[in-house]
Amino acid sequence: MSVFTPVTAEALSDWLRRYAVGRLAHVQGISAGVQNSNFFVTTTLGRYVLTLFETIPRAELPFYLHLMAHLARHGLPVPAPIADQDNEYLGTLSGKPAVLVMRLTGQADLPATPARCERVGAMLAGLHLAGLSYGRRQDNPRGAAWRSATAAQVRPFLPGDEQALLDAELAFQVRVPTDALPQGVIHADLFRDNVLWDGEHIGGVIDFYFAGCDALLFDVAVTVNDWCALPGGALDEARCRALLGAYHAERPFTDEERAAWPAMLRAAALRFWLSRAADFHLPRAGEMVLVKDPDEYRDILRQRTRNVPPLVAGSP
Amino acid sequence: MSVFTPVTAEALSDWLRRYAVGRLAHVQGISAGVQNSNFFVTTTLGRYVLTLFETIPRAELPFYLHLMAHLARHGLPVPAPIADQDNEYLGTLSGKPAVLVMRLTGQADLPATPARCERVGAMLAGLHLAGLSYGRRQDNPRGAAWRSATAAQVRPFLPGDEQALLDAELAFQVRVPTDALPQGVIHADLFRDNVLWDGEHIGGVIDFYFAGCDALLFDVAVTVNDWCALPGGALDEARCRALLGAYHAERPFTDEERAAWPAMLRAAALRFWLSRAADFHLPRAGEMVLVKDPDEYRDILRQRTRNVPPLVAGSP
């Protein structure tokens, strides 16, 4: 989205006095993102990103900010939030909850080659392993409860065949034994636009504001559905093998996860079909959300109800 | 120094399993530093530096590691230590206390232009301001008590005129009212070889293992003595003005600091003359310390006993 809430250089300069990051040199709005106002902030001491939260309730923000701080402390390239003179991350600017984070460098949205998929799989496993020692808990905000509620809202807008697909999928998903799967903190939105590349290395993983606690395999499925899908939605086997093999080398999949893999791919496809359909059919007043095509994820869901490659073909 | 303690790739690979940084890709010893063994460590997820501590007692290390973590949390480019699966920074490898830190990029030892001195002054003030909210305390390991003890050890090795200089300086320093000066956490070794430049920006400030609590102005004096000295030891006024002006803009100097400035420049010169003289005359068995010329800091001390420019010429 574009910047919703304007911030003047004067107000920002004044606000930055609460931090030890030097003096404001430059500020520029960022025309990307879906639920916050973001700005590149350059000071005499460094480069940062300022985020004003437009929709997430203030009480839910510490989970995300301390998660990013925790993952950065564990050596992963995520936007570490900056503490102010009171050692706090969350402030208030222009009347909105606000945070300053380290600016990461790199290029997003690069083509999903097998080599990049391998690095993404390893990084996702690193995020999951580091998350195991994170102490705060907050449910996946787009988990099973949200899917049921959102399905009821968008169903009336769908044509008959899509209603049938939705009904069948919801009936299928309630029978999936997700409690048997390893749980943890998931990024839940590790799409290509949220990975910054520094050459062939990952220089940054951004946008943790859909993170929450859920089955780790759901996160793997979200990631595979974006990084390994061919046009039309079918999975590319070479990319799947690269991503899943690198993940498995860091955190080996369990038998329960192997069994649940096709169902998780469907659950992950359903989640993005529903959110895109909701953004399309039920736009919220005043929001300038970039509406993405719901049909892409309808087609991915249909593909996943057919055969999918097993989890890490060839591994024990 | 060179690497003292060897680390095999096998032992390191095994040790890294305690972290969420991926798999070891490459390790290489670093032939720099004065009291630790350092290695560049590249993994599938990132680039780090491994440090094995050869001389600092284990009980003193948490002060340094948590300080670096604190400063990084406050947005400053310092080597943030990496937490393991137990959320701890300090581990053990090859029988030595060991820590993994983020690898910073940039070039050290660049010429001290006025423009760079300005950035160094602002950065030093940022370090001091961020340090105000750091909760741990440890004395400056090269403070007044260390200076007295070391002076007694090296004095017998000095020629008569240097003994007279030393005696006079020690007698002078005991009368300086340092308690009246603002205290805090100081880097205490912000020499040109400890600042990494990313173009004209500071990409990293390294080597915090002389840090401690002392007069903030002592740190300013250490920094000015290195960054602003001409050959022979006299101060370059343009560089002093740039460094001190940028510092003052972030943390204004007090009247007590203005009065103590010449004495602090002398105390800072004395500290490095003494440590270099001790390394030269009293080398410790088994240490491969790079011995730096003590005469450089003897000459700087002599220069500082003459006139020095006032603290921030022209400012109120």
Side-chain angles (χ1 to χ4, degrees):
Chain A
M1 49 148 248
S2 312
V3 171
F4 287 142
T5 300
V7 173
T8 65
E10 290 70 25
L12 181 56
S13 291
D14 194 50
W15 191 73
L16 289 175
R17 287 174 193 273
R18 298 183 51 76
Y19 296 81
V21 297
R23 300 286 152 143
L24 180 64
H26 189 65
V27 55
Q28 185 192 340
I30 306 173
S31 58
V34 295
Q35 49 179 3
N36 313 313
S37 300
N38 294 298
F39 303 83
F40 289 133
V41 172
T42 303
T43 72
T44 46
L45 298 188
R47 281 165 287 201
Y48 309 91
V49 172
L50 168 70
T51 297
L52 305 191
F53 297 98
E54 305 285 351
T55 60
I56 305 173
R58 191 175 187 104
E60 294 177 14
L61 292 171
F63 173 83
Y64 301 115
L65 303 186
H66 286 275
L67 173 61
M68 294 188 288
H70 177 86
L71 297 172
R73 252 166 51 80
H74 282 256
L76 298 172
V78 308
I82 308 302
D84 69 11
Q85 61 195 5
D86 297 327
N87 277 326
E88 293 291 336
Y89 297 131
L90 189 57
T92 301
L93 181 59
S94 297
K96 299 284 168 66
V99 66
L100 197 67
V101 304
M102 297 301 288
R103 179 172 175 184
L104 301 166
T105 53
Q107 197 177 352
D109 275 320
L110 293 190
T113 61
R116 290 206 187 95
C117 287
E118 185 180 333
R119 291 194 175 273
V120 167
M123 183 61 73
L124 185 62
L127 293 169
H128 289 174
L129 292 173
L132 294 177
S133 52
Y134 183 54
R136 295 176 188 240
R137 288 284 171 270
Q138 200 157 285
D139 285 342
N140 173 7
R142 298 288 180 273
W146 173 89
R147 293 199 294 266
S148 299
T150 307
Q153 290 178 313
V154 302
R155 191 179 186 284
F157 296 94
L158 302 180
D161 63 324
E162 295 188 10
Q163 288 187 347
L165 175 69
L166 179 59
D167 293 345
E169 191 58 31
L170 290 167
F172 172 80
Q173 288 294 337
V174 294
R175 296 193 309 271
V176 177
T178 52
D179 288 353
L181 303 174
Q183 308 284 311
V185 184
I186 65 171
H187 181 284
D189 195 28
L190 195 62
F191 278 47
R192 274 169 286 180
D193 55 348
N194 286 330
V195 177
L196 307 181
W197 295 93
D198 171 15
E200 288 302 304
H201 295 266
I202 295 177
V205 174
I206 61 173
D207 202 353
F208 280 81
Y209 300 112
F210 286 111
C213 298
D214 206 333
L216 299 176
L217 193 65
F218 180 78
D219 213 7
V220 181
V222 167
T223 309
V224 163
N225 275 341
D226 183 64
W227 286 85
C228 308
L230 297 162
L235 288 170
D236 179 273
E237 287 206 30
R239 283 186 270 159
C240 282
R241 209 161 38 236
L243 196 156
L244 296 170
Y247 184 98
H248 179 78
E250 301 294 326
R251 189 188 74 79
F253 293 113
T254 68
D255 290 342
E256 290 77 10
E257 288 180 306
R258 287 175 204 285
W261 180 234
M264 278 299 107
L265 286 169
R266 291 166 63 167
L270 174 63
R271 173 257 180 269
F272 286 94
W273 182 32
L274 285 172
S275 65
R276 292 186 178 189
D279 288 342
F280 185 84
H281 296 295
L282 303 159
R284 277 173 290 188
E287 285 208 10
M288 291 165 57
V289 170
L290 174 68
V291 176
K292 295 177 181 169
D293 180 13
D295 293 353
E296 180 190 358
Y297 268 83
R298 175 202 63 199
D299 294 346
I300 289 178
L301 176 58
R302 283 201 171 121
Q303 281 285 349
R304 300 296 174 274
T305 61
R306 300 166 200 162
N307 279 343
V308 298
L311 199 52
V312 196
S315 75
Chain B
M1 49 149 247
S2 311
V3 170
F4 287 142
T5 301
V7 173
T8 65
E10 291 69 26
L12 180 57
S13 290
D14 195 51
W15 190 72
L16 289 175
R17 287 175 193 273
R18 298 183 50 76
Y19 295 81
V21 298
R23 300 286 153 143
L24 180 63
H26 189 65
V27 56
Q28 184 191 340
I30 306 174
S31 58
V34 294
Q35 50 179 3
N36 314 313
S37 300
N38 294 298
F39 303 83
F40 289 133
V41 173
T42 304
T43 73
T44 46
L45 298 189
R47 281 166 287 201
Y48 310 91
V49 172
L50 168 70
T51 296
L52 306 189
F53 297 98
E54 306 285 352
T55 60
I56 305 172
R58 191 175 187 104
E60 294 177 14
L61 292 171
F63 173 83
Y64 301 115
L65 304 185
H66 287 274
L67 173 61
M68 295 188 289
H70 177 86
L71 297 173
R73 254 166 49 80
H74 283 255
L76 298 173
V78 308
I82 308 302
D84 69 10
Q85 61 196 5
D86 297 326
N87 277 325
E88 293 292 336
Y89 297 132
L90 189 58
T92 301
L93 181 60
S94 297
K96 299 285 169 67
V99 67
L100 198 66
V101 303
M102 295 302 287
R103 180 173 174 184
L104 301 166
T105 54
Q107 198 178 350
D109 275 320
L110 292 191
T113 60
R116 289 206 189 94
C117 288
E118 184 180 334
R119 292 194 175 273
V120 166
M123 183 62 75
L124 184 62
L127 294 168
H128 289 174
L129 291 173
L132 294 178
S133 53
Y134 183 54
R136 295 175 189 242
R137 288 285 170 269
Q138 200 157 285
D139 284 343
N140 173 6
R142 297 288 181 274
W146 174 90
R147 292 199 295 266
S148 299
T150 306
Q153 290 179 312
V154 302
R155 191 180 185 284
F157 297 94
L158 303 181
D161 63 324
E162 294 189 9
Q163 288 186 347
L165 176 68
L166 180 59
D167 294 345
E169 191 58 31
L170 290 167
F172 172 79
Q173 288 294 335
V174 294
R175 296 192 309 270
V176 176
T178 52
D179 289 354
L181 303 174
Q183 309 283 312
V185 184
I186 65 171
H187 181 283
D189 195 29
L190 195 63
F191 278 47
R192 274 169 286 181
D193 55 349
N194 286 330
V195 177
L196 307 180
W197 294 94
D198 172 15
E200 288 303 304
H201 295 266
I202 295 177
V205 174
I206 62 173
D207 202 354
F208 280 82
Y209 301 113
F210 286 112
C213 298
D214 205 334
L216 298 176
L217 194 65
F218 179 79
D219 212 8
V220 181
V222 167
T223 309
V224 163
N225 275 342
D226 183 63
W227 285 86
C228 306
L230 296 162
L235 288 170
D236 179 273
E237 287 206 30
R239 284 186 269 157
C240 283
R241 209 161 38 235
L243 196 155
L244 296 170
Y247 184 97
H248 179 77
E250 301 294 326
R251 190 188 74 80
F253 293 113
T254 67
D255 290 342
E256 290 77 11
E257 288 181 307
R258 284 176 207 285
W261 180 234
M264 279 299 107
L265 286 169
R266 291 166 64 166
L270 174 63
R271 174 257 179 269
F272 286 94
W273 181 33
L274 285 172
S275 66
R276 291 186 180 189
D279 288 342
F280 185 83
H281 297 294
L282 303 159
R284 276 172 291 188
E287 285 208 8
M288 292 165 57
V289 170
L290 174 67
V291 177
K292 295 177 182 170
D293 180 13
D295 293 353
E296 180 189 359
Y297 268 83
R298 176 203 62 199
D299 293 346
I300 289 179
L301 175 58
R302 283 201 170 120
Q303 282 285 350
R304 299 296 174 274
T305 61
R306 298 166 201 164
N307 279 344
V308 298
L311 199 52
V312 196
S315 76

